Amino acid sequence: MSDIPYKIYLEEKEMPSAWYNVRADMKNKPAPLINPATLKPMGFEELRGVFCDELVKQELDDVTPYFEIPDEIRSFYRMYRPSPLVRAYCLEKELDTPAKIYYKFEGNNTSGSHKLNSAIAQAYYAKKQGLKGVTTETGAGQWGTALSMACAYLGLDCKVYMVKVSYEQKPFRREVMRTYGAAVTPSPSDTTNIGRKILADFPGTTGSLGCAISEAVEAATSTEGYRYVLGSVLSQVLLHQSVIGLECKAAMDKYGIKPDMIIGCAGGGSNLGGLISPFMGEKLRGEADYQFIAVEPASCPSLTRGKFAYDFCDTGNVCPMAKMYTLGSRFIPSPNHAGGLRYHGMSGVVSQLYHDGYLEARAVEQTSVFEAATRFARIEGILPAPESSHAIKVAIDEALKCKETGEEKTILFGLTGTGYFDMVAYEQYNNGTMTDYIPSDEDLQIGFSQIPEVK
Amino acid sequence: MSDIPYKIYLEEKEMPSAWYNVRADMKNKPAPLINPATLKPMGFEELRGVFCDELVKQELDDVTPYFEIPDEIRSFYRMYRPSPLVRAYCLEKELDTPAKIYYKFEGNNTSGSHKLNSAIAQAYYAKKQGLKGVTTETGAGQWGTALSMACAYLGLDCKVYMVKVSYEQKPFRREVMRTYGAAVTPSPSDTTNIGRKILADFPGTTGSLGCAISEAVEAATSTEGYRYVLGSVLSQVLLHQSVIGLECKAAMDKYGIKPDMIIGCAGGGSNLGGLISPFMGEKLRGEADYQFIAVEPASCPSLTRGKFAYDFCDTGNVCPMAKMYTLGSRFIPSPNHAGGLRYHGMSGVVSQLYHDGYLEARAVEQTSVFEAATRFARIEGILPAPESSHAIKVAIDEALKCKETGEEKTILFGLTGTGYFDMVAYEQYNNGTMTDYIPSDEDLQIGFSQIPEVK
């Protein structure tokens, strides 16, 4: 095994030709999306007013295991994929651990993260349907950037509602999106009914993903030829992101590597769900066993401290409702929280798998995450995104445990992106002014009190 | 040839094991560095007070064609190399050109550019010599970031003097360097004698590379256990950067591709020199012919409008003097100039090759460069650095000429880096407030008048 290269690149012809739908192998399927007015499951006709037709079909299909990736999308993928699977030799040496550490690096594209994998798919289906444009929300800005890139490539209009705190902390993200031709609005804004209502109810709010989603949905459904697209949470997004895990598994199989544990950061669940999908499929089918760990911020702990219940996906309650681990749709994380992973809920797929005991979850605090990020940057070269650094933190913790026990575990984690647009947060860390925030039980109770009772 | 992948990655075992020294094949060698006081060529003993011993040896050696790359440096290279050679299929289609366009992309590392190739080499030799730290200057910030990364990896101190205009336009670059543990000072500063003098002579100056070099050299030579390192211009840097061209040529040879023209941006000449080296070697030895084009900004036109003469390398005249194309060491480009390529001089190797007619030079204006950059970003995905975009501009021009003539030329250009830290400049372009600046002959005369007479 000593001749494993630093970076394993598949050849382009080895790239996956189909996405994998992990729901097909789940005994307990994720609960269906329901209409907030009728509380009845939503079908194709109801959902197609919000989402593109082909994406609704993918969203509703929990039995088909593979969806072919259209040639046009594969062509786009070839511009930045396959992404490297990296053996963290330097980190292993620095930690003096017997563990073998690998990471799948999704940051080598201008959007700076894995988000592009689903952005191009969603933009492609919108274009194919003859739409004029799409709307979306973005938190830290990775998804908005990815969608802007995809839309520029295909010649689609792109309207992005950006969580206000990120809009202000990351002016350069905004300019990247504008360079790709997108229109970017800080959320909450006075351009939508729901935005105006939130501004009236919570003056001075720094925004949240839930709020930006409401505005983007309203903008899409009130404009002819537009649909709404979402960068995480939905099952269709996890489907597209399965390309991460499929490539990763193909690369590992090629070199005879079997991970013992697989670690991913979890905000809405798109990266984690995509990374673990094919491995989880094996586990669900009883073919292999792996330990899966979802890592979330202690300041927004939907898996570790949330409730598993039907809830609104957005602050304005205009979206379909989903059954998921949730902190309540009115939960807004402290503005001292850096980066993404600010969403109050969690992918229905990830939630169900967690509920059924197929994966674990851990919550980690911000300064410890940046400590891990800085350590990683200095020794592995790559300056990681704050989101990705949650996974780094737990990977390092686990590697150090191996040092104590002498176990030679193989650890795989997802390095979802780069932190080049997160330097305000790094500056706080460098200056020693970064703080941690853990909501009290009383804080959480406010969000929980908004979760509706659904039988 | 239709089965050429989008991205050609060499395997790690195919990476070059030695750097190529193009001077060995030059009939007219670059003129030696001379002492500004004695005007005599500087030897090992004189130069070792400023530079590390091993690097002085490389600087002085114009006959040895290959220098073995130490294992430790090759290990570091493996963290981000080999870099991809990309076939710009999408750009070709967009331009509707019969030309085949390739680019060697050096931006897939946290420093964001090719600068890391020489940074790790220079830091390695400093460490090996038992030094405590190094000092340097940085313009747009790419070199300073690269050196910070290399020093963090090896455990060396790193002091960076950053051109003030970039320091102010790019606070996030500063934070990346700090994250890697570097001390960053805006130049001119009051921490050195030369900095204080320049501030007194030119109050309100936004700085220049020439000035920052002087400060860094003073800081190195006045501190025990420190040496000065430089990111461009010197022959040792071109030697290290030959890894770009060597990889590129190996990848092209593997697929039977022969470029007709090779295009690179030129500030100090490190990227251009590194990219063209092995191809130029073939041309010098009469084994093959290629058209080489150096692209520089019209606002800092050292090759196209400068003088070929011995000149000071820095504003404070504390460095060895070099024979090169120069605008005069007191030439300071307009602050409306974005990105790097702000240096008044040019690599002695590139200068001599240009003087002997082995390569052409073109000067391009800033707004046309950003127009090309934005076009490239939207169609090829990668958001390019302003520096790299000079090469993109000319590559597009040449591809469009092929469209007119019907010639199926193969164009290779160097995409040296990404523009993630250049969003202030992109914002100006997006807002339509970017301006061009071409110095008048009178403007240039001021710089020329400072060039000393050296027989």
Side-chain angles (χ1 to χ4, degrees):
Chain A
M1 285 303 126
S2 64
D3 59 347
I4 290 174
Y6 273 63
K7 300 177 301 305
I8 303 175
Y9 278 105
L10 293 178
E11 292 177 44
E12 283 174 11
K13 62 184 181 221
E14 296 173 306
M15 283 172 63
S17 58
W19 294 302
Y20 168 63
N21 181 12
V22 71
R23 290 171 294 170
D25 283 307
M26 290 170 69
K27 242 177 294 180
N28 298 329
K29 307 287 183 189
L33 298 173
I34 62 173
N35 183 319
T38 65
L39 303 186
K40 296 260 190 289
M42 293 175 83
F44 180 76
E45 286 305 325
E46 262 192 305
L47 286 169
R48 65 183 301 205
V50 180
F51 304 114
C52 306
D53 291 359
E54 200 62 32
L55 293 166
V56 172
K57 284 182 202 160
Q58 295 179 352
E59 191 66 31
L60 293 173
D61 188 337
D62 57 13
V63 295
T64 305
Y66 287 96
F67 285 79
E68 199 183 334
I69 305 175
D71 280 347
E72 294 85 345
I73 296 175
R74 296 189 74 204
S75 276
F76 188 88
Y77 278 171
R78 277 192 285 270
M79 293 207 301
Y80 68 101
R81 308 199 66 84
S83 71
L85 174 68
V86 186
R87 172 78 182 265
Y89 284 114
C90 299
L91 182 62
E92 290 172 16
K93 195 175 159 199
E94 156 96 354
L95 299 175
D96 189 23
T97 175
K100 294 174 185 66
I101 308 175
Y102 292 85
Y103 55 91
K104 179 71 168 167
F105 181 43
E106 291 288 317
N108 270 353
N109 69 75
T110 286
S111 81
S113 82
H114 67 293
K115 296 282 186 180
L116 200 50
N117 301 329
S118 185
I120 185 61
Q122 297 192 49
Y124 166 77
Y125 291 119
K127 182 78 180 176
K128 203 179 158 201
Q129 195 175 324
L131 297 177
K132 187 168 180 297
V134 291
T135 72
T136 199
E137 79 296 330
T138 198
Q142 292 179 336
W143 167 246
T145 309
L147 190 67
S148 303
M149 287 177 66
C151 287
Y153 182 80
L154 294 168
L156 270 180
D157 283 356
C158 182
K159 293 185 187 178
V160 180
Y161 288 85
M162 186 171 187
V163 177
K164 192 179 277 177
V165 63
S166 298
Y167 186 90
E168 287 165 359
Q169 279 189 355
K170 304 185 175 186
F172 294 172
R173 273 278 188 209
R174 179 193 69 217
E175 287 309 319
V176 178
M177 291 186 257
R178 286 184 70 208
T179 297
Y180 283 94
V184 189
T185 307
S187 167
S189 77
D190 60 5
T191 66
T192 65
N193 291 328
I194 187 65
R196 287 187 288 270
K197 182 167 187 316
I198 291 168
L199 283 172
D201 291 354
F202 303 92
T205 177
T206 52
S208 70
L209 270 181
C211 164
I213 293 173
S214 298
E215 289 205 84
V217 171
E218 183 182 324
T221 51
S222 62
T223 316
E224 181 71 26
Y226 276 76
R227 289 295 186 285
Y228 167 69
V229 298
L230 180 61
S232 191
V233 181
L234 295 175
S235 300
Q236 60 186 262
V237 179
L238 269 71
L239 175 70
H240 307 146
Q241 294 296 357
S242 70
V243 71
I244 305 172
L246 291 164
E247 269 186 15
C248 197
K249 188 153 192 322
M252 292 190 124
D253 286 349
K254 191 171 174 178
Y255 284 87
I257 307 159
K258 186 184 171 296
D260 296 298
M261 67 174 67
I262 304 175
I263 301 167
C265 64
S270 74
N271 148 69
L272 176 78
L275 173 66
I276 68 175
S277 273
F279 301 97
M280 183 61 81
E282 288 191 330
K283 182 162 177 164
L284 291 167
R285 296 189 302 270
E287 296 165 8
D289 196 19
Y290 305 96
Q291 183 183 5
F292 299 101
I293 306 176
V295 190
E296 59 185 12
S299 60
C300 192
S302 47
L303 284 173
T304 52
R305 296 175 69 196
K307 293 198 184 309
F308 188 47
Y310 263 109
D311 195 11
F312 301 106
C313 290
D314 60 323
T315 314
N317 309 352
V318 299
C319 278
M321 292 173 72
K323 190 171 179 188
M324 59 185 176
Y325 279 85
T326 177
L327 298 166
S329 61
R330 292 289 169 127
F331 178 84
I332 294 184
S334 156
N336 84 347
H337 174 93
L341 313 183
R342 295 168 58 89
Y343 188 60
H344 69 274
M346 177 59 66
S347 142
V349 172
V350 170
S351 292
Q352 188 66 48
L353 290 168
Y354 177 64
H355 190 70
D356 291 343
Y358 288 103
L359 69 93
E360 305 164 31
R362 299 214 190 135
V364 291
E365 292 178 45
Q366 181 158 265
T367 49
S368 72
V369 166
F370 275 81
E371 188 186 350
T374 301
R375 187 173 193 178
F376 181 84
R378 293 187 182 185
I379 201 67
E380 283 286 322
I382 297 166
L383 186 86
E387 297 84 343
S388 328
S389 305
H390 288 71
I392 295 173
K393 160 70 180 152
V394 170
I396 289 177
D397 287 349
E398 290 296 324
L400 291 175
K401 277 186 209 163
C402 288
K403 183 179 177 179
E404 278 177 32
T405 63
E407 286 175 290
E408 292 185 23
K409 285 189 182 174
T410 296
I411 299 170
L412 165 66
F413 72 90
L415 188 69
T416 57
T418 49
Y420 308 142
F421 292 94
D422 300 282
M423 295 318 297
V424 168
Y426 273 97
E427 183 176 13
Q428 286 172 357
Y429 179 75
N430 291 338
N431 290 341
T433 56
M434 176 168 274
T435 55
D436 288 322
Y437 168 73
I438 303 180
S440 69
D441 289 342
E442 289 73 36
D443 292 335
L444 292 185
Q445 209 49 52
I446 301 168
F448 290 155
S449 69
Q450 307 276 347
I451 301 176
E453 288 253 358
V454 175
K455 301 289 173 197
Chain B
M1 283 303 125
S2 66
D3 59 348
I4 290 173
Y6 274 62
K7 300 177 302 305
I8 303 175
Y9 278 106
L10 293 178
E11 291 178 45
E12 283 174 13
K13 61 183 181 225
E14 295 172 306
M15 284 172 62
S17 58
W19 294 302
Y20 168 64
N21 182 12
V22 71
R23 289 172 293 170
D25 284 308
M26 290 169 70
K27 242 176 294 180
N28 298 328
K29 308 288 184 190
L33 298 174
I34 60 171
N35 184 320
T38 65
L39 302 186
K40 297 260 188 288
M42 293 176 81
F44 180 75
E45 286 305 325
E46 262 193 303
L47 287 168
R48 67 183 297 208
V50 180
F51 304 114
C52 307
D53 291 358
E54 199 62 32
L55 293 166
V56 172
K57 287 182 200 160
Q58 294 179 354
E59 190 66 30
L60 293 173
D61 188 336
D62 57 12
V63 294
T64 306
Y66 286 96
F67 286 79
E68 198 183 333
I69 306 176
D71 280 346
E72 294 85 342
I73 297 175
R74 296 189 73 204
S75 275
F76 188 88
Y77 278 171
R78 276 193 286 270
M79 294 207 301
Y80 69 100
R81 308 200 66 84
S83 72
L85 174 68
V86 186
R87 172 77 183 265
Y89 282 115
C90 300
L91 182 62
E92 290 171 17
K93 195 174 158 198
E94 157 96 352
L95 299 175
D96 189 23
T97 174
K100 293 175 185 66
I101 309 174
Y102 293 86
Y103 55 91
K104 179 71 168 167
F105 180 44
E106 292 287 317
N108 269 351
N109 69 75
T110 285
S111 81
S113 82
H114 67 293
K115 296 282 186 181
L116 200 51
N117 301 330
S118 184
I120 185 61
Q122 297 194 48
Y124 167 78
Y125 291 119
K127 181 78 180 177
K128 203 178 159 202
Q129 195 176 322
L131 297 177
K132 188 167 180 296
V134 291
T135 72
T136 199
E137 79 297 329
T138 198
Q142 292 180 337
W143 167 247
T145 309
L147 190 67
S148 304
M149 287 177 66
C151 287
Y153 182 81
L154 294 169
L156 270 181
D157 283 356
C158 181
K159 292 185 188 178
V160 180
Y161 288 85
M162 185 170 187
V163 176
K164 192 180 276 177
V165 62
S166 298
Y167 186 91
E168 287 164 0
Q169 279 189 355
K170 304 187 175 186
F172 294 173
R173 274 278 188 208
R174 178 192 70 216
E175 288 309 318
V176 178
M177 290 187 256
R178 286 185 69 207
T179 298
Y180 283 95
V184 189
T185 307
S187 168
S189 76
D190 60 5
T191 66
T192 63
N193 291 327
I194 186 66
R196 285 187 290 271
K197 181 167 187 317
I198 290 168
L199 283 172
D201 291 354
F202 304 92
T205 175
T206 52
S208 70
L209 270 180
C211 165
I213 293 173
S214 298
E215 290 206 82
V217 171
E218 183 182 323
T221 51
S222 61
T223 316
E224 180 69 26
Y226 275 76
R227 289 295 185 284
Y228 167 69
V229 297
L230 180 60
S232 192
V233 182
L234 296 174
S235 299
Q236 60 186 265
V237 178
L238 268 71
L239 174 71
H240 307 146
Q241 295 296 357
S242 70
V243 70
I244 305 171
L246 290 164
E247 270 186 15
C248 198
K249 186 149 194 325
M252 293 190 124
D253 286 349
K254 191 171 173 177
Y255 284 86
I257 306 159
K258 185 181 172 297
D260 295 297
M261 67 175 66
I262 304 175
I263 301 167
C265 63
S270 75
N271 149 68
L272 177 77
L275 173 67
I276 67 176
S277 273
F279 300 97
M280 183 61 82
E282 288 191 329
K283 182 162 176 162
L284 291 166
R285 296 189 302 270
E287 297 165 6
D289 195 21
Y290 306 95
Q291 182 184 7
F292 299 101
I293 306 175
V295 190
E296 59 184 13
S299 60
C300 192
S302 46
L303 284 174
T304 51
R305 297 177 68 197
K307 294 199 182 308
F308 189 46
Y310 263 110
D311 195 11
F312 302 106
C313 290
D314 59 323
T315 313
N317 307 355
V318 299
C319 279
M321 292 173 71
K323 189 171 181 190
M324 57 186 177
Y325 279 85
T326 177
L327 298 166
S329 61
R330 293 286 170 129
F331 177 83
I332 294 184
S334 156
N336 84 348
H337 173 94
L341 313 184
R342 295 169 59 87
Y343 189 59
H344 69 275
M346 177 59 65
S347 143
V349 172
V350 170
S351 293
Q352 188 65 49
L353 290 167
Y354 178 63
H355 190 69
D356 291 343
Y358 287 104
L359 68 92
E360 305 164 30
R362 302 219 185 130
V364 292
E365 291 179 44
Q366 181 158 263
T367 49
S368 73
V369 166
F370 275 81
E371 188 187 350
T374 301
R375 187 172 193 179
F376 182 83
R378 291 187 183 185
I379 201 68
E380 283 286 320
I382 298 166
L383 187 85
E387 296 85 343
S388 327
S389 305
H390 288 70
I392 296 173
K393 160 70 179 149
V394 171
I396 290 177
D397 287 350
E398 290 295 326
L400 291 175
K401 277 187 210 163
C402 288
K403 185 179 176 178
E404 278 178 32
T405 62
E407 287 174 290
E408 292 186 23
K409 287 190 181 171
T410 296
I411 299 170
L412 166 65
F413 71 90
L415 189 69
T416 58
T418 50
Y420 307 143
F421 292 93
D422 300 281
M423 295 319 297
V424 168
Y426 272 97
E427 183 176 13
Q428 286 172 357
Y429 179 75
N430 291 338
N431 291 341
T433 57
M434 176 168 274
T435 54
D436 288 321
Y437 168 73
I438 303 180
S440 68
D441 288 343
E442 288 73 35
D443 292 336
L444 292 185
Q445 209 49 52
I446 301 168
F448 291 156
S449 69
Q450 308 275 346
I451 300 176
E453 288 254 357
V454 176
K455 302 288 170 195

